[in-house]
């Protein structure tokens, strides 16, 4: 059950959690705190690590803020850190590794967006209070001063955290004007933490949604990935749709909220999609690495995006969505390209969307072995994810129908396993290779070898493994009957 549905945390519980976590990370925070203090600089643990410490969540990525400038921070880390990097120097950040801990130390700063710019202007600040005031949400605007461990909470973050609510330190309109990506982060944190979002924040998101267009596609993509991979993505996605942000960053999602006809002849595709996503998440333990798995989750989210384009009402009152799998795959590919996803991710998700209806041709098990082989071949290395998506796509409330679909897919998987043991389905190849084809037919490399290879692959699909003699005979027969060009 999402944390948003649980009772508020007790302040005493929050205080106990943060004390326990600070003791755990003491080897880093106490030592660093002394180093900076002795050099005349302020240092504080800040942001997510403080919030998560109060929630009793442990991790080894630690963020600090300091009065020291980047070059001073770098000098103080030399001789202490195991490794140092400065890719974020332009933004005031120096990173390092110390044993099992990853550390980032950023100079106090303030940043704001020019209305027409995609990148923030960064100015270094002089006070911890000023630095906290420029942060996105009150639960991230808390700090622990070091080495004394005094908690700084000028905007009531502890209370908001206890009540599981996201609120901005100042006016949300000012915060989102400074950095419009914070609107996406509101949805992402809701999904990650299970928190509700303050009504004033929601209203500002709704009024300022268009500002997200100045943010680069890459930054929007990264927030979307974090949201989709969060424990409660439905919370974040619903917020994006309700505020109008999804109309800009992922318009295919709100488009699923099709107008229901007066006879309710088709299910609510939008709610169905969110349910499929949650059911796919429940099946992630089938994957070798478990979850969260972005590809399978995003495929679940996009699997029906072709329906709005393909919906047709027939004279008998039924509704059809013919070819929505193919149309959906094209829309998915286009959206993911716009969001600058990698070609590998685009191919994987689009293939799953295109294949998600294939199982429904299985009926009650009528497929031949040849059809099963083709199912495995077409799924390729996405087979396990296709199993997840297909199973998750059953949201019927009819228990008997759901159980029948489950048994039928169990049967298909069992057949795939049996054939895989016999034939190594995952790496199906013809019974003759290219060199053998050229030798048997007496031809050189070229288009005809490819045609012969394709013929033999179809033979392999239709009839399973054959001996070299049988494959040779079939190849020669095909070659003799082949139209001369």
């Amino acid at each position: 059950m999402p944390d948003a549905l649980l009772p508020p945390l007790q302040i005493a519980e929050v205080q106990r959690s943060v004390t326990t976590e600070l003791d755990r990370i003491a080897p880093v925070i106490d030592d660093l705190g002394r180093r900076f203090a002795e050099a005349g600089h302020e240092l504080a643990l800040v942001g997510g690590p403080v919030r998560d410490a109060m929630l009793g969540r442990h991790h080894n990525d630690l963020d600090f803020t300091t009065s020291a400038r980047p070059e001073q921070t770098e000098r103080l880390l030399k001789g202490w850190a195991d490794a140092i990097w400065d890719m974020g120097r332009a933004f005031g950040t120096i990173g390092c590794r110390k044993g099992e801990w990853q550390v980032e130390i950023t100079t106090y700063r303030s940043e704001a967006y020019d209305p027409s710019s995609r990148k923030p202007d960064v100015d270094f600040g002089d006070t911890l209070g000023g630095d906290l005031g420029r942060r996105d949400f009150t639960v991230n605007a808390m700090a622990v001063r070091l080495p004394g461990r005094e908690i700084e909470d000028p905007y009531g973050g502890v209370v908001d955290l206890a009540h599981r609510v996201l609120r901005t330190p100042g006016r949300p309109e000012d915060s989102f004007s400074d950095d419009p990506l914070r609107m996406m982060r509101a949805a992402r944190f809701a999904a990650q933490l299970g928190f509700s979002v303050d009504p004033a924040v929601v209203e500002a998101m709704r009024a300022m949604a268009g500002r997200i267009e100045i943010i680069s596609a890459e930054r929007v993509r990264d927030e979307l990935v974090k949201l989709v991979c969060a424990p409660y993505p439905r919370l974040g996605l619903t917020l994006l749709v309700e505020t109008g942000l999804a109309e800009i960053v992922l318009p295919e999602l709100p488009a699923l909220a099709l107008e229901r006809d007066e006879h309710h002849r088709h299910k609510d595709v939008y709610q169905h999609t969110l349910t499929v996503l949650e059911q796919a998440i429940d099946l992630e333990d089938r994957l070798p690495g478990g979850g969260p798995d972005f590809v399978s989750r995003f495929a679940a989210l996009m699997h029906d995006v072709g329906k709005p384009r393909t919906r047709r009402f027939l004279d008998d009152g039924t509704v059809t969505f013919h070819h929505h799998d193919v149309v959906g795959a094209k829309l998915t590919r286009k959206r993911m390209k716009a969001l600058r996803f990698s070609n590998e991710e685009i191919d994987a998700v689009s293939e799953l969307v295109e294949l998600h209806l294939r199982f429904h041709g299985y009926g009650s098990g009528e497929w031949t072995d040849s059809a099963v082989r083709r199912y495995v071949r077409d799924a390729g290395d996405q087979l396990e994810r296709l199993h997840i998506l297909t199973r998750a796509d059953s949201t019927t409330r009819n228990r008997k129908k759901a159980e029948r679909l489950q048994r039928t897919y169990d049967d298909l998987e069992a057949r795939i396993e049996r054939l895989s043991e016999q034939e190594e389905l995952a790496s199906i190849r013809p019974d003759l290779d290219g060199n053998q084809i050229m030798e048997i037919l007496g031809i050189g490399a070229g288009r005809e070898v490819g045609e012969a290879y394709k013929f033999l692959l179809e033979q392999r699909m239709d009839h399973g493994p054959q001996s070299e003699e049988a494959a040779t005979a079939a190849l020669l027969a095909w070659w003799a009957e082949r139209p001369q060009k």
Side-chain angles (χ1 to χ4, degrees), residues 313-459:
F313 292 103
L314 303 184
D315 292 339
D316 63 0
T318 57
V319 181
T320 66
F321 302 96
H322 292 315
H323 307 302
H324 79 266
D325 47 347
V326 177
V327 173
K330 291 178 180 177
L331 291 173
T332 297
R333 187 173 293 276
K334 182 178 179 181
R335 177 57 47 201
M336 293 185 74
K337 283 184 178 179
L339 289 169
R340 306 289 194 272
F341 279 95
S342 69
N343 290 334
E344 182 180 0
E345 290 169 311
I346 293 172
D347 289 343
V349 175
S350 300
E351 286 168 14
L352 289 168
V353 172
E354 186 164 357
L355 291 171
H356 83 273
L357 289 181
R358 185 72 65 85
F359 161 72
H360 296 286
Y362 189 69
S364 55
E366 295 87 354
W367 276 3
T368 62
D369 284 352
S370 172
V372 174
R373 292 186 192 103
R374 283 182 167 80
Y375 188 79
V376 174
R377 179 192 66 181
D378 292 346
D381 59 3
Q382 300 304 317
L383 181 62
E384 197 57 58
R385 285 174 169 140
L386 182 59
H387 290 334
I388 289 174
L389 177 58
T390 304
R391 288 180 180 276
D393 195 21
S394 174
T395 60
T396 178
R397 295 180 182 178
N398 184 320
R399 191 180 60 154
K400 289 185 177 179
K401 182 178 180 182
E403 290 175 349
R404 185 173 68 252
L405 287 169
Q406 176 83 14
R407 288 194 303 270
T408 305
Y409 206 84
D410 287 344
D411 177 68
L412 175 57
E413 285 203 56
R415 288 184 65 188
I416 289 172
E417 186 174 354
R418 285 196 301 271
L419 284 172
S420 294
E421 291 174 354
Q422 297 166 10
E423 305 178 18
E424 298 182 5
L425 286 187
S427 56
I428 284 182
R429 286 175 174 77
D431 297 294
L432 301 174
D433 63 24
N435 290 327
Q436 290 171 304
I437 290 171
M438 289 188 287
E439 182 179 347
I440 292 167
L441 299 181
I443 60 175
R447 177 174 52 82
E448 291 173 327
V449 177
E451 292 175 358
Y453 188 93
K454 184 177 180 181
F455 163 75
L456 288 171
L457 182 58
E458 291 301 314
Q459 285 285 109

Side-chain angles (χ1 to χ4, degrees), residues 85-107:
W85 51 89
D86 67 350
M87 289 85 77
R89 180 184 295 274
F91 295 94
T93 301
I94 302 296
C96 73
R97 176 176 53 81
K98 176 70 171 178
E100 61 186 310
W101 285 282
Q102 300 286 331
V103 171
E104 285 194 351
I105 304 176
T106 303
T107 302

Side-chain angles (χ1 to χ4, degrees), residues 52-74:
D52 288 346
M54 293 180 175
L55 290 171
R57 301 179 179 189
H58 302 162
H59 56 72
N60 291 345
D61 293 339
L62 305 178
D63 295 328
F64 298 84
T65 188
T66 181
S67 59
R69 295 303 190 252
E71 63 276 7
Q72 295 170 320
T73 295
E74 190 171 23

Side-chain angles (χ1 to χ4, degrees), residues 206-324:
R206 187 175 288 117
M208 302 179 67
R211 282 276 289 163
I212 200 67
E213 292 179 334
I214 74 167
I215 301 298
S216 70
E218 291 83 358
R219 295 184 73 206
V220 170
R221 174 203 63 207
D222 291 347
E223 286 298 326
L224 187 61
V225 170
K226 291 174 185 176
L227 188 163
V228 170
C229 290
Y232 316 116
R234 190 175 196 138
L235 293 178
L237 293 167
T238 300
L239 183 60
L240 290 183
V241 171
E242 290 178 349
T243 57
L245 277 162
E247 290 279 358
I248 300 168
V249 302
L250 193 65
E252 294 79 10
L253 182 60
L256 292 174
L258 301 172
E259 292 182 10
R260 302 287 295 277
D261 63 284
E262 68 272 18
H263 300 296
H264 299 280
R265 289 170 290 193
H266 62 85
K267 69 178 73 175
D268 185 327
V269 182
Y270 170 66
Q271 293 299 333
H272 161 76
T273 293
L274 296 179
T275 299
V276 171
L277 170 60
E278 291 179 326
Q279 292 183 169
I281 292 171
D282 291 339
L283 294 169
E284 284 180 333
D285 58 0
R286 294 171 58 106
L287 296 172
D293 180 65
F294 173 76
V295 169
S296 61
R297 292 189 184 198
F298 204 60
L301 190 63
M302 302 295 282
H303 79 283
D304 272 348
V305 296
K307 280 191 170 180
R309 296 273 187 94
T310 58
R311 182 174 64 159
R312 299 290 183 272
F313 292 103
L314 303 184
D315 292 339
D316 63 0
T318 57
V319 181
T320 66
F321 302 96
H322 292 315
H323 307 302
H324 79 266

Side-chain angles (χ1 to χ4, degrees), residues 132-152:
L132 295 178
R134 56 156 289 277
R135 293 181 179 266
D136 50 11
F137 303 104
T138 60
V139 295
N140 295 330
M142 299 180 288
V144 178
R145 286 187 180 271
L146 301 171
R149 297 193 184 183
E150 303 93 351
I151 293 178
E152 292 284 337

